[in-house]
Amino acid sequence: EVLLRMHSVGICGSDVHYWQHGRIGDFVVKDPMVLGHEASGTVVKVGSGVTHLKPGDRVAIEPGVPREMDEFCKTGRYNLSPTIFFCATPPDDGNLCRYYKHSASYCYKLPDNVTFEEGALIEPLSVGIHACKRAGVTLGSKVFVSGSGPIGLVNVLVAKMMGAAAVVITDLSASRLQKAKEVGADFTIQVKNETPQEVASKVESLLGCKPEITVECTGVQACIQAGIYATRSGGTLVLVGLGPEMVTVPIVNAAVREVDIRGIFRYCNTWPVAIALLASKRINVKPLVTHRFPLEKALEAFETTKRGEGVKVMLKCDPSDHNP
């Protein structure tokens, strides 16, 4: 294990949800819990067996650590391990604090040209990497991203990086769609009160064809329906956003057109990839950060996120460091 002095911690929709509702599905907050799981910091102390890190190293933290080597770990899909420890998922404490102890194998050294803030953004970026890999995005893909929050945006970034020829994105908010344009979306659709079929046909007319891949980042029933209608026969729909447990969808439409519906659970094996992309400047996540607060103003930061202002809100945990 290593002891870290925390630096930058991003606020996630799930953090806000636990704060407001005290549960997400089967994960229920029963005792006081520290939030935060998008984080970077500096190594202060290392355990006796740690060789790849030393005090002073700047690291990005992967928040999910399997507690035992089970069959999921052996096949490289450790995110599915039922024993996994995960920051800020009850009952496990997160890392929105000054000092934090974490498994050394899940702390990744940041190159000098990657900032703490970029290090903290690897967590949401990882969701995009994992989703686009599961979707099979490749050279020339046409992609429909549903929802333009932070997760929709990282999916745009990653899909373009992986060779997508055209990406169309939908949202209710014009300002969020503007941000999507900034990070590389080719087309945007501001949804008002269209039916799912109408949204699907707008996607098709903008792309000139149905997309092979749809990445659904809202969890909203109507959006999942639109995702099925929009996806080309033989294509793939990846469900990233989580909404109600039971959802009514046109499953027969998907079945008879051989649309593959895939889920994702967080990510695995993405930190080294993300660090390589950031270090080589192949991907720019900096535009995602719109607000910064010191740890003392955490409540204000959470309220900003809850109101849906900006994109990614960052908390700064190290008072000795005043650089943005």
Side-chain angles (χ1 to χ4, degrees), residues 19 291 293 299-310 313:
W19 168 50
H291 295 72
F293 293 90
L299 187 58
E300 204 180 316
F302 270 81
E303 278 161 351
T304 304
T305 310
K306 186 185 159 199
R307 287 193 300 270
E309 289 173 31
V313 177

PDB file of all heavy atoms in Angstrom, residues 19 291 293 299-310 313:
ATOM      1  N   TRP A  19     -25.028  11.406  -1.987  1.00  0.00           N
ATOM      2  CA  TRP A  19     -25.230  12.529  -1.059  1.00  0.00           C
ATOM      3  C   TRP A  19     -26.717  12.869  -0.933  1.00  0.00           C
ATOM      4  O   TRP A  19     -27.230  13.091   0.161  1.00  0.00           O
ATOM      5  CB  TRP A  19     -24.415  13.719  -1.571  1.00  0.00           C
ATOM      6  CG  TRP A  19     -24.683  15.047  -0.950  1.00  0.00           C
ATOM      7  CD1 TRP A  19     -24.738  15.350   0.381  1.00  0.00           C
ATOM      8  CD2 TRP A  19     -24.917  16.284  -1.643  1.00  0.00           C
ATOM      9  NE1 TRP A  19     -24.986  16.695   0.553  1.00  0.00           N
ATOM     10  CE2 TRP A  19     -25.095  17.293  -0.670  1.00  0.00           C
ATOM     11  CE3 TRP A  19     -24.965  16.642  -2.993  1.00  0.00           C
ATOM     12  CZ2 TRP A  19     -25.331  18.629  -1.006  1.00  0.00           C
ATOM     13  CZ3 TRP A  19     -25.195  17.966  -3.332  1.00  0.00           C
ATOM     14  CH2 TRP A  19     -25.382  18.950  -2.338  1.00  0.00           C
ATOM     15  N   HIS A 291     -15.057  24.098 -13.362  1.00  0.00           N
ATOM     16  CA  HIS A 291     -15.090  24.729 -12.038  1.00  0.00           C
ATOM     17  C   HIS A 291     -14.035  24.118 -11.131  1.00  0.00           C
ATOM     18  O   HIS A 291     -13.791  22.908 -11.205  1.00  0.00           O
ATOM     19  CB  HIS A 291     -16.462  24.537 -11.369  1.00  0.00           C
ATOM     20  CG  HIS A 291     -17.592  25.218 -12.066  1.00  0.00           C
ATOM     21  ND1 HIS A 291     -18.089  24.778 -13.271  1.00  0.00           N
ATOM     22  CD2 HIS A 291     -18.334  26.309 -11.722  1.00  0.00           C
ATOM     23  CE1 HIS A 291     -19.091  25.575 -13.642  1.00  0.00           C
ATOM     24  NE2 HIS A 291     -19.251  26.508 -12.723  1.00  0.00           N
ATOM     25  N   PHE A 293     -12.735  24.239  -6.901  1.00  0.00           N
ATOM     26  CA  PHE A 293     -12.991  24.689  -5.534  1.00  0.00           C
ATOM     27  C   PHE A 293     -11.950  24.106  -4.594  1.00  0.00           C
ATOM     28  O   PHE A 293     -11.505  22.975  -4.803  1.00  0.00           O
ATOM     29  CB  PHE A 293     -14.370  24.197  -5.047  1.00  0.00           C
ATOM     30  CG  PHE A 293     -15.546  24.803  -5.760  1.00  0.00           C
ATOM     31  CD1 PHE A 293     -16.070  24.207  -6.902  1.00  0.00           C
ATOM     32  CD2 PHE A 293     -16.154  25.959  -5.274  1.00  0.00           C
ATOM     33  CE1 PHE A 293     -17.172  24.751  -7.564  1.00  0.00           C
ATOM     34  CE2 PHE A 293     -17.257  26.514  -5.924  1.00  0.00           C
ATOM     35  CZ  PHE A 293     -17.765  25.903  -7.065  1.00  0.00           C
ATOM     36  N   LEU A 299     -18.984  21.684  -0.183  1.00  0.00           N
ATOM     37  CA  LEU A 299     -20.446  21.744  -0.279  1.00  0.00           C
ATOM     38  C   LEU A 299     -20.883  22.580  -1.483  1.00  0.00           C
ATOM     39  O   LEU A 299     -21.756  22.178  -2.255  1.00  0.00           O
ATOM     40  CB  LEU A 299     -21.050  22.296   1.022  1.00  0.00           C
ATOM     41  CG  LEU A 299     -22.591  22.254   1.103  1.00  0.00           C
ATOM     42  CD1 LEU A 299     -23.119  20.830   0.937  1.00  0.00           C
ATOM     43  CD2 LEU A 299     -23.069  22.856   2.410  1.00  0.00           C
ATOM     44  N   GLU A 300     -20.216  23.721  -1.634  1.00  0.00           N
ATOM     45  CA  GLU A 300     -20.500  24.598  -2.775  1.00  0.00           C
ATOM     46  C   GLU A 300     -20.234  23.861  -4.098  1.00  0.00           C
ATOM     47  O   GLU A 300     -21.002  23.967  -5.054  1.00  0.00           O
ATOM     48  CB  GLU A 300     -19.581  25.831  -2.667  1.00  0.00           C
ATOM     49  CG  GLU A 300     -20.091  27.062  -3.367  1.00  0.00           C
ATOM     50  CD  GLU A 300     -19.110  28.234  -3.207  1.00  0.00           C
ATOM     51  OE1 GLU A 300     -18.610  28.444  -2.075  1.00  0.00           O
ATOM     52  OE2 GLU A 300     -18.847  28.898  -4.220  1.00  0.00           O
ATOM     53  N   ALA A 301     -19.145  23.096  -4.117  1.00  0.00           N
ATOM     54  CA  ALA A 301     -18.780  22.327  -5.313  1.00  0.00           C
ATOM     55  C   ALA A 301     -19.852  21.284  -5.639  1.00  0.00           C
ATOM     56  O   ALA A 301     -20.253  21.123  -6.796  1.00  0.00           O
ATOM     57  CB  ALA A 301     -17.432  21.647  -5.091  1.00  0.00           C
ATOM     58  N   PHE A 302     -20.325  20.597  -4.606  1.00  0.00           N
ATOM     59  CA  PHE A 302     -21.370  19.586  -4.807  1.00  0.00           C
ATOM     60  C   PHE A 302     -22.668  20.233  -5.280  1.00  0.00           C
ATOM     61  O   PHE A 302     -23.360  19.696  -6.146  1.00  0.00           O
ATOM     62  CB  PHE A 302     -21.606  18.787  -3.516  1.00  0.00           C
ATOM     63  CG  PHE A 302     -20.729  17.567  -3.421  1.00  0.00           C
ATOM     64  CD1 PHE A 302     -19.411  17.667  -3.002  1.00  0.00           C
ATOM     65  CD2 PHE A 302     -21.221  16.316  -3.780  1.00  0.00           C
ATOM     66  CE1 PHE A 302     -18.591  16.547  -2.940  1.00  0.00           C
ATOM     67  CE2 PHE A 302     -20.415  15.189  -3.717  1.00  0.00           C
ATOM     68  CZ  PHE A 302     -19.097  15.294  -3.299  1.00  0.00           C
ATOM     69  N   GLU A 303     -22.981  21.403  -4.720  1.00  0.00           N
ATOM     70  CA  GLU A 303     -24.217  22.079  -5.133  1.00  0.00           C
ATOM     71  C   GLU A 303     -24.130  22.551  -6.586  1.00  0.00           C
ATOM     72  O   GLU A 303     -25.108  22.489  -7.326  1.00  0.00           O
ATOM     73  CB  GLU A 303     -24.557  23.220  -4.163  1.00  0.00           C
ATOM     74  CG  GLU A 303     -25.265  22.644  -2.947  1.00  0.00           C
ATOM     75  CD  GLU A 303     -25.275  23.536  -1.714  1.00  0.00           C
ATOM     76  OE1 GLU A 303     -24.582  24.575  -1.708  1.00  0.00           O
ATOM     77  OE2 GLU A 303     -25.966  23.168  -0.754  1.00  0.00           O
ATOM     78  N   THR A 304     -22.936  22.982  -6.998  1.00  0.00           N
ATOM     79  CA  THR A 304     -22.709  23.385  -8.399  1.00  0.00           C
ATOM     80  C   THR A 304     -22.950  22.199  -9.329  1.00  0.00           C
ATOM     81  O   THR A 304     -23.618  22.323 -10.360  1.00  0.00           O
ATOM     82  CB  THR A 304     -21.261  23.910  -8.569  1.00  0.00           C
ATOM     83  OG1 THR A 304     -21.048  24.967  -7.636  1.00  0.00           O
ATOM     84  CG2 THR A 304     -21.018  24.417  -9.982  1.00  0.00           C
ATOM     85  N   THR A 305     -22.416  21.038  -8.942  1.00  0.00           N
ATOM     86  CA  THR A 305     -22.596  19.824  -9.753  1.00  0.00           C
ATOM     87  C   THR A 305     -24.072  19.434  -9.801  1.00  0.00           C
ATOM     88  O   THR A 305     -24.600  19.103 -10.863  1.00  0.00           O
ATOM     89  CB  THR A 305     -21.781  18.655  -9.168  1.00  0.00           C
ATOM     90  OG1 THR A 305     -20.447  19.090  -8.933  1.00  0.00           O
ATOM     91  CG2 THR A 305     -21.764  17.464 -10.120  1.00  0.00           C
ATOM     92  N   LYS A 306     -24.730  19.501  -8.647  1.00  0.00           N
ATOM     93  CA  LYS A 306     -26.143  19.119  -8.546  1.00  0.00           C
ATOM     94  C   LYS A 306     -27.013  19.981  -9.449  1.00  0.00           C
ATOM     95  O   LYS A 306     -27.960  19.496 -10.073  1.00  0.00           O
ATOM     96  CB  LYS A 306     -26.597  19.251  -7.086  1.00  0.00           C
ATOM     97  CG  LYS A 306     -28.006  18.753  -6.822  1.00  0.00           C
ATOM     98  CD  LYS A 306     -28.409  19.044  -5.382  1.00  0.00           C
ATOM     99  CE  LYS A 306     -29.917  19.029  -5.244  1.00  0.00           C
ATOM    100  NZ  LYS A 306     -30.348  19.730  -4.021  1.00  0.00           N
ATOM    101  N   ARG A 307     -26.669  21.265  -9.548  1.00  0.00           N
ATOM    102  CA  ARG A 307     -27.442  22.177 -10.411  1.00  0.00           C
ATOM    103  C   ARG A 307     -27.166  21.931 -11.892  1.00  0.00           C
ATOM    104  O   ARG A 307     -27.819  22.509 -12.759  1.00  0.00           O
ATOM    105  CB  ARG A 307     -27.123  23.637 -10.067  1.00  0.00           C
ATOM    106  CG  ARG A 307     -27.720  24.113  -8.744  1.00  0.00           C
ATOM    107  CD  ARG A 307     -27.645  25.630  -8.612  1.00  0.00           C
ATOM    108  NE  ARG A 307     -26.271  26.126  -8.649  1.00  0.00           N
ATOM    109  CZ  ARG A 307     -25.496  26.286  -7.580  1.00  0.00           C
ATOM    110  NH1 ARG A 307     -25.956  26.000  -6.363  1.00  0.00           N
ATOM    111  NH2 ARG A 307     -24.258  26.743  -7.694  1.00  0.00           N
ATOM    112  N   GLY A 308     -26.169  21.119 -12.190  1.00  0.00           N
ATOM    113  CA  GLY A 308     -25.842  20.814 -13.581  1.00  0.00           C
ATOM    114  C   GLY A 308     -25.069  21.927 -14.266  1.00  0.00           C
ATOM    115  O   GLY A 308     -25.050  22.015 -15.489  1.00  0.00           O
ATOM    116  N   GLU A 309     -24.415  22.773 -13.464  1.00  0.00           N
ATOM    117  CA  GLU A 309     -23.625  23.859 -14.061  1.00  0.00           C
ATOM    118  C   GLU A 309     -22.293  23.316 -14.562  1.00  0.00           C
ATOM    119  O   GLU A 309     -21.698  22.456 -13.935  1.00  0.00           O
ATOM    120  CB  GLU A 309     -23.363  24.955 -13.023  1.00  0.00           C
ATOM    121  CG  GLU A 309     -24.600  25.755 -12.682  1.00  0.00           C
ATOM    122  CD  GLU A 309     -24.360  26.719 -11.529  1.00  0.00           C
ATOM    123  OE1 GLU A 309     -23.218  27.198 -11.377  1.00  0.00           O
ATOM    124  OE2 GLU A 309     -25.312  26.969 -10.776  1.00  0.00           O
ATOM    125  N   GLY A 310     -21.824  23.858 -15.680  1.00  0.00           N
ATOM    126  CA  GLY A 310     -20.514  23.447 -16.190  1.00  0.00           C
ATOM    127  C   GLY A 310     -20.492  21.976 -16.554  1.00  0.00           C
ATOM    128  O   GLY A 310     -21.522  21.355 -16.794  1.00  0.00           O
ATOM    129  N   VAL A 313     -16.550  19.398 -12.187  1.00  0.00           N
ATOM    130  CA  VAL A 313     -16.157  20.225 -11.049  1.00  0.00           C
ATOM    131  C   VAL A 313     -15.016  19.518 -10.321  1.00  0.00           C
ATOM    132  O   VAL A 313     -15.112  18.341  -9.999  1.00  0.00           O
ATOM    133  CB  VAL A 313     -17.355  20.440 -10.090  1.00  0.00           C
ATOM    134  CG1 VAL A 313     -16.933  21.229  -8.859  1.00  0.00           C
ATOM    135  CG2 VAL A 313     -18.494  21.151 -10.821  1.00  0.00           C
TER     136      VAL A 313
END
